[in-house]
């Protein structure tokens, strides 16, 4: 199957700093990428949908100014958590698809804000 | 609106026993349905998908699922559990807006020796 690479897999940052997470589709062009957040022992919560070259569509309740999403190319989307706080600590997962495939998922990023 | 309900947040079976993980869906249009597996601190791996072709879908690692429209179900089965099957399993339906996936709550599968 297609490969989606997410980086970093783990990151620890101080409160008030920003963290960038990258999601790359390695062997296909991802017209759409999705960003999810997952709390322990819970399901995936969709944060936003991004289409290449256009602004991301955020789900209700997700702060767009806090979770900045950029999808500048067909193989790369980034999620930046701005001014991170301990409550932003979570597992973030991206997925990518083109119109003809199902979504493939990255390995996830464990963010810990101290 | 579309939704997915997984019955049972935790299922425990003995090694070699049948695995049955339940999933019911709600959809106003013919659904695309998926089962994913997640190991600790990892992303999701696709086990199998239903896309309106054969109702019995075979996936990886010996898993299969049967689409039953009359029961609005898409239960996941495996004849004989292995220790390596212990993981979190998610059923999902593809929404008709932008192709986003709508996930069930997840079922944690434990396999006892």
């Amino acid at each position: 199957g297609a490969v989606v690479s997410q980086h970093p897999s783990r990151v620890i940052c101080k409160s008030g700093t920003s963290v960038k997470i990258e999601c790359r589709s390695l062997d296909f062009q991802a017209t759409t990428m999705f960003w999810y957040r997952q709390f322990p022992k819970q399901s995936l919560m969709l944060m936003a949908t991004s289409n290449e070259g256009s602004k991301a569509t955020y789900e209700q309740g997700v702060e767009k100014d806090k979770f900045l999403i950029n999808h500048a190319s067909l193989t790369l989307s980034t999620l930046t958590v701005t001014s991170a706080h301990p409550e932003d600590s979570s597992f973030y997962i991206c997925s990518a698809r083109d119109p003809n495939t199902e979504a493939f998922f990255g390995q996830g990023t464990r963010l810990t804000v101290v | 609106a579309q939704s997915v309900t997984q019955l049972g947040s935790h299922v425990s079976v003995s090694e070699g026993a049948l695995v049955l993980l339940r999933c019911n869906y709600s959809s106003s249009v013919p659904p695309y349905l998926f089962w994913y597996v997640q190991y600790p601190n990892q992303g999701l791996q696709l086990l199998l998908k239903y896309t309106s072709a054969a109702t019995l879908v075979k996936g990886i690692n010996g898993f299969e699922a049967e689409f039953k429209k009359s029961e609005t179900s898409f239960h996941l089965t495996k004849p004989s559990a292995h220790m390596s099957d212990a993981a979190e399993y998610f059923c999902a339906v593809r929404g008709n807006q932008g192709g986003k996936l709508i996930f069930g709550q997840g079922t944690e599968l434990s396999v006892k020796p």
Side-chain angles (χ1 to χ4, degrees), chain B:
Chain B
Q2 291 159 302
S3 66
V4 168
T5 301
Q6 291 182 241
L7 301 176
S9 59
H10 185 251
V11 170
S12 181
V13 300
S14 298
E15 192 174 17
L18 172 71
V19 175
L20 171 60
L21 304 183
R22 300 177 187 274
C23 173
N24 288 89
Y25 70 91
S26 173
S27 177
S28 57
V29 298
Y32 281 13
L33 294 161
F34 305 82
W35 274 101
Y36 288 89
V37 61
Q38 184 182 33
Y39 296 98
N41 292 308
Q42 294 189 27
L44 275 65
Q45 181 182 11
L46 179 68
L47 282 176
L48 49 81
K49 60 181 178 180
Y50 168 76
T51 58
S52 76
T55 56
L56 182 61
V57 181
K58 293 187 183 300
I60 62 172
N61 300 339
F63 285 94
E64 62 182 38
E66 186 172 8
F67 173 74
K68 292 186 177 181
K69 185 178 179 180
S70 60
E71 298 177 8
T72 62
S73 69
F74 190 57
H75 301 332
L76 181 71
T77 61
K78 181 174 180 177
S80 176
H82 293 164
M83 297 297 291
S84 60
D85 293 327
E88 189 83 18
Y89 291 80
F90 292 97
C91 182
V93 61
R94 181 185 292 172
N96 49 14
Q97 290 184 346
K100 63 184 180 183
L101 290 173
I102 300 165
F103 287 92
Q105 305 91 319
T107 299
E108 182 181 5
L109 175 66
S110 299
V111 181
K112 299 175 291 185

Side-chain angles (χ1 to χ4, degrees), chain A residues 35-39 43-48 59 62, chain B residues 103:
Chain A
W35 287 95
Y36 296 86
R37 182 173 181 176
Q38 186 180 30
F39 292 101
S43 189
L44 281 72
M45 180 191 78
L46 181 64
M47 298 174 67
E59 296 298 303
V62 178
Chain B
F103 287 92

